[in-house]
Amino acid sequence: MPGGLTRRVSADVPLAIGASLAFVGYVWVLMHATVPLVTVFAFASDGHPKLYAAFLAGLAGLPGLLLTLPRAFTPPRPSVQPSVRSRRQASALRRSYVRTDVLGLAALLLAQVPLPAPWGPAGKAATIANITKSPEIVELSAMFANYSLAIFAVGILGAVVAKVYSHAAALRVLAIILVVGAPVVAWLLVVRAVS
């Protein structure tokens, strides 16, 4: 095994362990974040269900934005690739979306915190009811739990469209419209159903 490869493998092990510990810590924080997040949303919305739903829509739409916007705003690759002379030039030519993708995954997990999803803890709806004192907010939170998955699926679709069709400006704009429009449509559907 060459020395450079050995060094790279030995450097990747602490990074993988650190990333795993950070993920476990983040999940632990999210498991205890329902009360603070619902309290902040309830305070900021002043008990108005429509405004509370708008906060949920914004949080649910954030992962799609983080996945799509970097891809949509990256200019297309030139058809003729310049010659690469050094490793630094090669890494500059490679486009990586790892940071925003990790943030998108973190935002997806965060978006599930204030929602009483079927797979979530059984007492989450009761916690939301105790904090907000609003049956409408509890109902729209339960409805938004289902819509949040559809919003995230549209976010992934937008990211794929923006990446695959990076050469077509119109389709990149369409991807942005999709990821911005999905939470707005979900908000309208939830508000209409609850009011």
Side-chain angles (χ1 to χ4, degrees):
M1 190 182 270
L5 187 58
T6 307
R7 260 178 279 146
R8 189 183 317 150
V9 169
S10 63
D12 287 345
V13 170
L15 182 65
I17 293 172
S20 302
L21 290 175
F23 179 74
V24 169
Y26 182 65
V27 170
W28 183 86
V29 168
L30 291 181
M31 288 171 59
H32 298 86
T34 300
V35 172
L37 193 56
V38 171
T39 303
V40 167
F41 281 3
F43 177 78
S45 65
D46 197 25
H48 298 293
K50 290 182 182 178
L51 189 54
Y52 191 93
F55 290 132
L56 291 180
L59 189 58
L62 184 60
L65 290 173
L66 288 168
L67 293 175
T68 303
L69 291 184
R71 290 169 172 86
F73 287 126
T74 301
R77 240 174 232 222
S79 52
V80 178
Q81 294 291 333
S83 62
V84 176
R85 299 200 171 148
S86 70
R87 230 182 228 181
R88 184 176 286 171
Q89 287 176 330
S91 65
L93 286 175
R94 262 185 267 124
R95 295 187 183 122
S96 176
Y97 304 104
V98 173
R99 286 183 191 157
T100 51
D101 289 351
V102 168
L103 288 173
L105 176 62
L108 170 68
L109 295 174
L110 179 64
Q112 302 307 312
V113 168
L115 300 174
W119 54 86
K124 195 180 278 190
T127 301
I128 295 169
N130 288 338
I131 294 170
T132 63
K133 310 283 193 256
S134 169
E136 292 89 2
I137 289 178
V138 175
E139 186 182 349
L140 69 84
S141 296
M143 290 179 67
F144 230 101
N146 298 322
Y147 286 120
S148 68
L149 296 179
I151 291 169
F152 184 64
V154 171
I156 292 175
L157 175 66
V160 169
V161 168
K163 176 69 175 166
V164 172
Y165 299 102
S166 61
H167 57 281
L171 290 176
R172 287 189 290 163
V173 171
L174 176 65
I176 294 171
I177 291 171
L178 280 173
V179 297
V180 171
V184 174
V185 170
W187 177 79
L188 288 171
L189 291 173
V190 167
V191 165
R192 180 182 240 180
V194 170
S195 58

